Amino acid sequence: MKKNSCILAFAGICLTSSAIAQTKSLITFTPDTATNIRAIAVVNDSTVWFGGSNGSWGYTTTNGSDWKMGKTELGWQNTDFRSIAVTPDNAVLIANIASPGYILRTNDMGSSWRQVYKNENKEQFFDALVFSDDKNGWALGDPQKGCIQLLKTVDGGLNWSAVDCAFLPKIETGEAFFASSNTSIDAKERSVWIATGGPKARVIYSSNRGKSWKVSETPLQQGEKMTGIFSLAMYNEKLGVVAGGNYDNKAKTDNTIAISVDGGKIWKNKFDKHGQEIKDLPFVSCIQFVPKSKGKKLIAACLPGIYYSDNYGRTWVKINDEGFYTFRFSPSGKTAWFAGAKGKIGRMDF
């Protein structure tokens, strides 16, 4: 990358990569130090929800100047909520890891929660929750008896039904999904993508709302229990990114990111006819496209560090040293909210 290339602009000012590193300030909050946060959902520039461990949840509508904190009702208070989604009509849903597995829903800003799903299977473990619109949503869980647990809703999360195992692809023994950042599944319009890890790092995808599925290989690190894809994000139905690595060896930077431009059929970590390689990152817990950037700009939350790219991930610049599990952009792309251990939440304004 040329030192004088303009890779991001603020208020009409052209900034170089070094200027970004100096300019990008991170404002941090700790609304609840007793919880670890791996689930975050951003409604707009000033409103963000989170789900955490110890049954905790919370939100701000004031850009972080104050927080509404809560605990779910008795029986859910020891759960670890690692999945969250806010629908366009402002219903909030959270799901926990481990058994019993719950999906809870509120439409009154947390004043009351309704249990809309429960599973007491000993293998129960929810990994991620996502909605493509205000009605259609997906909940992903680790395999049970060798079958992917994939739930679907068509009524905004009021009711959930399991996708028949006969319609889902087979996965290898030990192959599962990571609940590191609520990004092991994504959905756009009629398409759904699922990222796997362990012995394989693959993408399972459907272009017809789950009626049929295909599987694609990726070049990401794989073969060990804590290797594979920890985060998947789609900019649209064609352009997507997968990232991860080895959680037990976070400094290993080879094969931690790959890009698809054909809806997930092929994933590459090399570009153009010369085979230009993607600049690898340390272990990636969460990766996202910057909204309204035509897919060129990405942010990666690594452990540790926050990284930025303006060229589809070919090169990266570190813009902050903090380590976070997960993050999301506001729809406008002006604000990114990060979350991590001991209740730490960060806000970075673009």
Side-chain angles (χ1 to χ4, degrees):
M1 178 185 294
K2 295 181 180 179
K3 291 183 179 179
N4 64 350
S5 61
C6 180
I7 63 174
L8 195 60
F10 298 88
I13 302 173
C14 178
L15 297 180
T16 64
S17 60
S18 60
I20 285 181
Q22 296 170 3
T23 304
K24 299 298 336 125
S25 60
L26 182 75
I27 302 170
T28 58
F29 311 88
T30 50
D32 183 358
T33 58
T35 188
N36 294 319
I37 304 172
R38 293 180 180 269
I40 196 164
V42 181
V43 180
N44 52 49
D45 292 340
S46 58
T47 302
V48 58
W49 280 79
F50 75 84
S53 58
N54 300 317
S56 293
W57 56 268
Y59 65 87
T60 179
T61 60
T62 58
N63 220 21
S65 61
D66 60 81
W67 293 83
K68 164 72 174 178
M69 305 298 299
K71 289 272 191 179
T72 48
E73 285 90 348
L74 188 65
W76 300 324
Q77 290 192 3
N78 294 323
T79 53
D80 187 349
F81 294 112
R82 295 196 186 182
S83 302
I84 190 168
V86 180
T87 68
D89 60 358
N90 290 319
V92 182
L93 295 99
I94 52 177
N96 68 300
I97 61 170
S99 180
Y102 303 101
I103 300 177
L104 309 179
R105 185 181 189 273
T106 181
N107 58 4
D108 56 12
M109 302 294 285
S111 295
S112 62
W113 292 89
R114 173 182 174 184
Q115 178 184 299
V116 292
Y117 180 83
K118 181 180 180 181
N119 190 318
E120 297 186 81
N121 188 305
K122 65 180 182 179
E123 296 178 303
Q124 172 65 41
F125 193 103
F126 277 125
D127 297 282
L129 182 64
V130 67
F131 276 75
S132 57
D133 53 46
D134 61 346
K135 298 297 182 184
N136 292 282
W138 303 86
L140 175 67
D142 277 355
Q144 297 181 12
K145 296 181 179 179
C147 180
I148 298 170
Q149 185 193 25
L150 184 61
L151 307 181
K152 182 179 180 179
T153 180
V154 295
D155 59 9
L158 292 170
N159 296 279
W160 295 85
S161 58
V163 176
D164 192 326
C165 187
F167 296 102
L168 292 166
K170 301 294 182 183
I171 60 174
E172 292 198 7
T173 301
E175 188 177 8
F177 323 108
F178 291 114
S180 63
S181 58
N182 191 38
T183 53
S184 53
I185 187 171
D186 203 359
K188 302 288 184 186
E189 302 296 334
R190 295 174 56 83
S191 298
V192 187
W193 300 263
I194 297 170
T196 79
K200 292 286 187 179
R202 304 191 293 179
V203 173
I204 301 165
Y205 63 99
S206 170
S207 59
N208 53 17
R209 287 196 172 141
K211 293 179 181 178
S212 61
W213 298 86
K214 295 180 180 179
V215 181
S216 58
E217 303 288 334
T218 79
L220 266 64
Q221 295 178 39
Q222 52 197 283
E224 299 178 34
K225 183 177 180 180
M226 297 303 292
T227 59
I229 305 169
F230 283 73
S231 185
L232 177 154
M234 301 299 297
Y235 185 77
N236 52 37
E237 288 191 284
K238 293 297 183 181
L239 177 62
V241 60
V242 291
N246 187 341
Y247 188 84
D248 292 330
N249 185 2
K250 298 180 182 64
K252 187 178 181 182
T253 60
D254 60 300
N255 299 324
T256 56
I257 178 173
I259 297 285
S260 175
V261 295
D262 59 7
K265 297 176 184 177
I266 299 174
W267 297 88
K268 294 182 178 182
N269 57 0
K270 295 181 185 294
F271 287 99
D272 68 39
K273 62 182 180 181
H274 302 294
Q276 180 183 354
E277 294 187 6
I278 290 177
K279 177 69 174 179
D280 288 313
L281 293 165
F283 172 82
V284 182
S285 183
C286 186
I287 194 165
Q288 296 285 289
F289 288 96
V290 179
K292 302 179 181 180
S293 68
K294 297 183 179 180
K296 287 184 64 176
K297 300 175 183 179
L298 298 105
I299 296 287
C302 300
L303 294 177
I306 301 171
Y307 292 76
Y308 168 83
S309 172
D310 79 325
N311 54 15
Y312 303 102
R314 287 182 175 89
T315 56
W316 294 84
V317 59
K318 192 176 187 180
I319 60 175
N320 197 278
D321 291 327
E322 292 275 6
F324 289 98
Y325 296 138
T326 190
F327 74 99
R328 292 294 188 280
F329 277 97
S330 62
S332 71
K334 295 178 180 179
T335 305
W337 288 89
F338 299 80
K342 298 181 179 178
K344 182 172 62 176
I345 294 176
R347 191 189 81 222
M348 188 177 283
D349 297 324
F350 286 79

